[in-house]
Amino acid sequence: MERENERMETHLTFEEIQNKIEHIQRNYEIDEDKFYQIVEKWSDQDLETEDKLLASFSELLEQVSYEINRMEETAEMKATCRMGCAFCCYFPIIINEMEAKLMKKAIEKFPTDRKLAIQSHLSAYYATYGEKIKQLTSVDFESSEAVKYNYRKSLLPCPMLNTETNQCMAYEIRPIPCRTYMNYTDPKVCEENLMPKETISFEFLYEQYMGALNEFLQFLYEEEGTAFIEYPNDVYAHDYLANWFQEDSNSAGLTEI
């Protein structure tokens, strides 16, 4: 019991988190060059355009996580998020069509048993939640903050969440909203509050991630074509992640493996 109490005391308070974020804002500079170096590296590779896109996409996502780690080191803070803690996996996730297509294509490259597991999971997911998804996503996600609250309150899990293990089935390619939402205080705040004030988001890193990816698409568009991406249309089409994957859950895009 004493050890448990000692561990609880190490959690940051809301005020401490705010102070550390201010410290990051004053002392940390995002290494934007790293993002553009990634796409430059892959643009020079002797690979199919599809493979260049997928490699850049994956590495840019890793760079976002790396930047967060560097910010944490700068402010001497450590996330209390742990494997099996999936409260944030019930928020609405909005991505553009390019990101959705890249995720789907990356899943197609997964080992066969993993692809089969995702296919089976998605079929069951949409059979179970199809009507709820239709109801929740019929509302414009930009209309008000209440949209996010009502979505969260509905307890609709992310399509990629295995609710038996509370683990993401596509963790390494999880989109920006998923990898930038963090908790640095008592994990119970996520359990006890639908939208806890103590959590923070590093989603501002989307600017560097999408800026580099968009520049790479522009280069490909002018030089060799953009493979399965319809550029620039796919960049400007945004929707719920649940809708993007429902479109292909019963089509060749995810079921032919």
Side-chain angles (χ1 to χ4, degrees):
M1 189 63 162
E2 291 182 2
R3 289 184 178 179
E4 180 66 23
N5 290 335
E6 290 175 1
R7 188 161 60 248
M8 291 291 289
E9 291 174 0
T10 64
H11 298 146
L12 297 175
T13 66
F14 181 50
E15 182 179 1
E16 288 172 333
I17 292 171
Q18 290 179 308
N19 291 336
K20 286 183 177 292
I21 295 303
E22 290 177 3
H23 175 78
I24 290 173
Q25 292 172 338
R26 291 193 305 268
N27 299 283
Y28 186 84
E29 184 175 349
I30 298 172
D31 192 349
E32 293 189 23
D33 289 343
K34 286 285 187 181
F35 289 86
Y36 291 93
Q37 287 169 6
I38 289 170
V39 295
E40 288 173 6
K41 177 185 75 175
W42 289 107
S43 68
D44 292 334
Q45 300 298 312
D46 185 20
L47 296 170
E48 295 292 331
T49 302
E50 176 179 309
D51 295 326
K52 291 181 182 180
L53 280 168
L54 289 174
S56 297
F57 169 64
S58 297
E59 196 166 340
L60 286 169
L61 287 174
E62 291 175 6
Q63 183 62 28
V64 168
S65 296
Y66 176 71
E67 287 289 339
I68 293 174
N69 290 337
R70 287 183 61 215
M71 284 187 239
E72 291 173 336
E73 292 173 1
T74 298
E76 297 182 343
M77 57 198 293
K78 185 176 181 180
T80 55
C81 307
R82 296 291 181 267
M83 183 178 294
C85 173
F87 299 106
C88 59
C89 299
Y90 291 81
F91 279 104
I93 302 300
I94 310 299
I95 60 175
N96 65 36
E97 189 164 9
M98 176 180 67
E99 295 173 283
K101 286 183 176 179
L102 286 165
M103 287 185 68
K104 293 172 187 177
K105 189 64 69 173
I107 290 171
E108 288 179 21
K109 304 286 186 180
F110 284 175
T112 300
D113 57 344
R114 190 176 177 191
K115 287 185 291 185
L116 281 170
I118 292 175
Q119 172 195 336
S120 176
H121 167 81
L122 288 175
S123 295
Y125 175 85
Y126 287 108
T128 301
Y129 299 109
E131 285 303 313
K132 180 180 283 191
I133 293 169
K134 183 178 180 180
Q135 177 184 0
L136 290 170
T137 63
S138 64
V139 182
D140 182 2
F141 51 81
E142 294 183 340
S143 60
S144 71
E145 183 66 16
V147 173
K148 178 186 283 188
Y149 177 79
N150 290 332
Y151 194 107
R152 175 68 181 87
K153 186 173 65 173
S154 75
L155 300 181
L156 174 67
C158 172
M160 289 298 156
L161 178 66
N162 182 329
T163 54
E164 294 182 1
T165 63
N166 267 359
Q167 294 181 23
C168 177
M169 301 185 75
Y171 185 77
E172 66 269 42
I173 56 167
R174 68 197 186 282
I176 299 297
C178 305
R179 67 180 61 229
T180 56
Y181 183 87
M182 312 290 282
N183 181 16
Y184 294 93
T185 187
D186 191 334
K188 285 187 177 180
V189 303
C190 294
E191 180 180 355
E192 298 172 353
N193 301 275
L194 289 176
M195 299 178 69
K197 67 177 183 179
E198 292 86 353
T199 55
I200 66 172
S201 173
F202 295 96
E203 200 163 357
F204 52 82
L205 288 166
Y206 185 82
E207 180 179 349
Q208 287 73 30
Y209 151 83
M210 184 53 63
L213 198 51
N214 185 57
E215 183 173 286
F216 191 31
L217 265 294
Q218 287 180 340
F219 167 79
L220 292 173
Y221 182 77
E222 295 169 359
E223 298 294 326
E224 56 189 270
T226 54
F228 56 91
I229 303 296
E230 292 183 22
Y231 185 81
N233 295 347
D234 289 350
V235 177
Y236 298 108
H238 290 78
D239 204 348
Y240 295 87
L241 180 68
N243 280 342
W244 288 129
F245 275 87
Q246 186 168 24
E247 290 180 358
D248 293 319
S249 62
N250 296 314
S251 68
L254 283 178
T255 57
E256 285 187 7
I257 47 183

